[in-house]
Amino acid sequence: WLPEEQLEMFRVDGFYSIELSPELKIIGVNSNMCLTYNFFLLLEWQDPGTELAWLVQELLASELKGQKVHLLSHIPPGNDDCLGSWGREFSKIINRFEGTVMAQFYGHTHNDEFMVFYDSEDKDRAVNFGFVAPSVTTYTNLNPAYRMYTVDGGYEGASYRVLESETYIFNMAEANSAGEATEPEWYKLYTATQDLGMENLFPQSWDKLVRDMATDETLYTKFFNYYNQDVPQFLRTKYDII
């Protein structure tokens, strides 16, 4: 589905950018450039493939045009599988272009998570966030899941922020018990604003959610259930997420 120019760039570097419209650019970030078990990083770990330098130029070009950007990637920066130095520099870029990067989408962990980016000078000010979506592929002790996003767009002056996030799953144990002849029954697990009590999905609201979960055990337990895709208690990840 990529145009030939972007496809060739992807073949060579694993990252690309594409303008969906004058108002929105999609940037695919190749997180293999920070993967801790990518042994080629021993040869060049500071900015492999000069991807971060390229990302700055792409974001600067969009900023100058008043264009918004969505980032797509796999490994969330800050995850144990991403080099800390790379993630640190990436966060600096996100901080600088907080008015341009309207959404970030990641995977890799298979759990339902999110990331909050903070101002490098004012540590209490959330400047951006990233969705870490659960996986539709089967994974140990997790139910398959997929997510649908509602984005503000399609008109002049749109923000291209994510307005809503809805996550759907099916029960793997029940599907296996029903047998191959029975289709799995997908159902909505939760809607972010409604079920997490969020005013909106802006960075400040995700920061508030984190702070609320630190003191509200009921809210924390609810999110922990979503984090584990509604699997039985005895199968859940055995560590705290805050």
Side-chain angles (χ1 to χ4, degrees), residues 107-120:
H108 185 66
T109 70
H110 296 265
N111 286 103
D112 189 334
E113 308 177 55
F114 63 92
M115 306 171 55
V116 182
F117 294 76
Y118 290 91
D119 191 316
S120 57

Side-chain angles (χ1 to χ4, degrees), residues 112-138:
D112 189 334
E113 308 177 55
F114 63 92
M115 306 171 55
V116 182
F117 294 76
Y118 290 91
D119 191 316
S120 57
E121 296 182 0
D122 181 358
K123 303 300 184 182
D124 291 326
R125 189 176 77 88
V127 298
N128 218 297
F129 76 97
F131 290 101
V132 183
S135 62
V136 72
T137 54
T138 54

Side-chain angles (χ1 to χ4, degrees), residues 211-225 242:
R211 297 176 190 276
D212 288 346
M213 285 195 292
T215 58
D216 186 337
E217 186 174 352
T218 300
L219 178 62
Y220 175 84
T221 300
K222 177 187 284 189
F223 179 80
F224 198 47
N225 181 57
I242 293 181

Side-chain angles (χ1 to χ4, degrees), residues 4-233:
E4 186 57 35
E5 180 182 351
Q6 284 77 14
L7 187 58
E8 182 58 28
M9 186 175 190
F10 178 77
R11 290 190 184 108
V12 174
D13 298 309
F15 50 83
Y16 65 91
S17 70
I18 182 170
E19 294 192 0
L20 294 186
S21 71
E23 293 79 30
L24 180 65
K25 177 190 288 183
I26 301 295
I27 295 180
V29 176
N30 181 7
S31 56
N32 283 322
M33 299 300 189
C34 80
L35 183 62
T36 53
Y37 41 94
N38 178 359
F39 300 118
F40 288 100
L41 297 186
L42 295 173
L43 302 175
E44 174 55 64
W45 58 267
Q46 293 175 308
D47 184 15
T50 63
E51 179 177 30
L52 294 178
W54 167 83
L55 177 60
V56 168
Q57 294 305 311
E58 287 288 331
L59 292 175
L60 181 60
S62 292
E63 180 184 65
L64 293 174
K65 293 190 294 186
Q67 185 180 56
K68 303 305 182 183
V69 172
H70 286 182
L71 299 182
L72 310 179
S73 192
H74 182 71
I75 306 172
N79 182 271
D80 290 343
D81 290 336
C82 180
L83 285 175
S85 57
W86 193 96
R88 180 191 64 230
E89 299 306 308
F90 178 87
S91 296
K92 291 178 182 178
I93 296 172
I94 296 301
N95 195 318
R96 164 62 180 80
F97 292 100
E98 63 173 292
T100 299
V101 177
M102 292 294 103
Q104 303 178 58
F105 304 94
Y106 300 93
H108 185 66
T109 70
H110 296 265
N111 286 103
D112 189 334
E113 308 177 55
F114 63 92
M115 306 171 55
V116 182
F117 294 76
Y118 290 91
D119 191 316
S120 57
E121 296 182 0
D122 181 358
K123 303 300 184 182
D124 291 326
R125 189 176 77 88
V127 298
N128 218 297
F129 76 97
F131 290 101
V132 183
S135 62
V136 72
T137 54
T138 54
Y139 197 73
T140 305
N141 295 340
L142 290 175
N143 290 318
Y146 71 90
R147 175 171 291 160
M148 298 179 64
Y149 298 101
T150 302
V151 177
D152 176 43
Y155 64 93
E156 186 175 352
S159 68
Y160 288 94
R161 291 186 180 274
V162 176
L163 302 179
E164 192 58 274
S165 164
E166 298 174 299
T167 303
Y168 294 79
I169 70 169
F170 74 78
N171 187 301
M172 175 63 76
E174 291 181 359
N176 286 336
S177 297
E180 296 181 4
T182 304
E183 291 290 327
E185 294 186 10
W186 292 91
Y187 62 93
K188 184 191 293 186
L189 179 60
Y190 75 103
T191 300
T193 57
Q194 296 176 17
D195 295 298
L196 293 175
M198 302 175 70
E199 181 178 347
N200 53 52
L201 300 187
F202 297 175
Q204 297 77 14
S205 293
W206 290 105
D207 170 67
K208 182 178 183 301
L209 176 62
V210 172
R211 297 176 190 276
D212 288 346
M213 285 195 292
T215 58
D216 186 337
E217 186 174 352
T218 300
L219 178 62
Y220 175 84
T221 300
K222 177 187 284 189
F223 179 80
F224 198 47
N225 181 57
Y226 300 153
Y227 171 83
N228 286 288
Q229 280 101 279
D230 201 27
V231 296
Q233 183 71 36

